[in-house]
């Protein structure tokens, strides 16, 4: 049986990814209609806190935020940071290795 922490992280990531996808959708719609946009920092924060899967799906399906290289770099940094954080949560022994 899967560890409860792992189950929680999976469920959390699914929910936050759906929310992130929705934010990308709203931003894409706003861009098309020349309305107020969602800030990049909000989109990147959502990715950092676990919504990066939703961000990648939204970028692919909606063809949104696919050109600006600085945003793409920042997005990949948030993805790597989130994966590292989740690995430490799932395997606390990683911290003891990092501490020396």
């Amino acid at each position: 049986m899967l560890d409860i922490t792992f189950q929680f992280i999976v469920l959390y990531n699914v929910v936050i990814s759906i929310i992130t996808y929705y934010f990308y959708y709203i931003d894409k719609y706003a861009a098309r209609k020349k309305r107020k946009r969602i800030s990049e920092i909000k989109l990147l924060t959502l990715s950092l806190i676990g919504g990066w899967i939703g961000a990648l799906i939204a970028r692919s399906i909606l063809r949104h935020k696919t050109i600006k290289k600085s945003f793409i770099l920042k997005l990949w940094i948030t993805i790597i940071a989130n994966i590292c954080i989740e690995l430490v949560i799932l395997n606390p022994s990683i911290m003891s290795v990092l501490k020396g």
Side-chain angles (χ1 to χ4, degrees):
M1 187 161 159
L2 292 176
D3 178 70
I4 191 73
T5 305
F6 180 77
Q7 292 174 345
F8 174 78
I9 288 176
V10 169
L11 179 61
Y12 171 81
N13 283 328
V14 167
V15 171
I16 198 72
S17 287
I18 291 168
I19 293 167
T20 302
Y21 183 94
Y22 178 72
F23 270 73
Y24 271 75
Y25 174 81
I26 295 298
D27 190 50
K28 177 72 172 189
Y29 180 79
R32 285 184 178 165
K33 298 292 183 179
K34 306 271 192 240
R35 294 188 179 156
K36 185 175 178 180
R37 306 278 303 276
I38 295 173
S39 69
E40 285 187 359
I41 193 70
K42 286 181 184 173
L43 296 175
L44 291 168
T45 301
L46 285 166
S47 296
L48 178 63
I49 64 171
W52 59 269
I53 296 170
L56 292 178
I57 293 170
R59 288 181 68 240
S60 177
I61 292 174
L62 303 174
R63 307 308 266 158
H64 190 50
K65 297 289 188 185
T66 58
I67 296 173
K68 192 173 177 186
K69 299 226 184 287
S70 64
F71 179 84
I72 295 167
L73 175 64
K74 292 173 192 172
L75 176 62
W76 281 104
I77 291 169
T78 65
I79 291 170
I80 292 167
N82 177 264
I83 290 171
C84 290
I85 291 166
E86 289 186 7
L87 284 173
V88 169
I89 291 169
L90 289 171
N91 189 357
S93 63
I94 291 173
M95 281 307 292
S96 63
V97 170
L98 294 175
K99 288 180 182 177

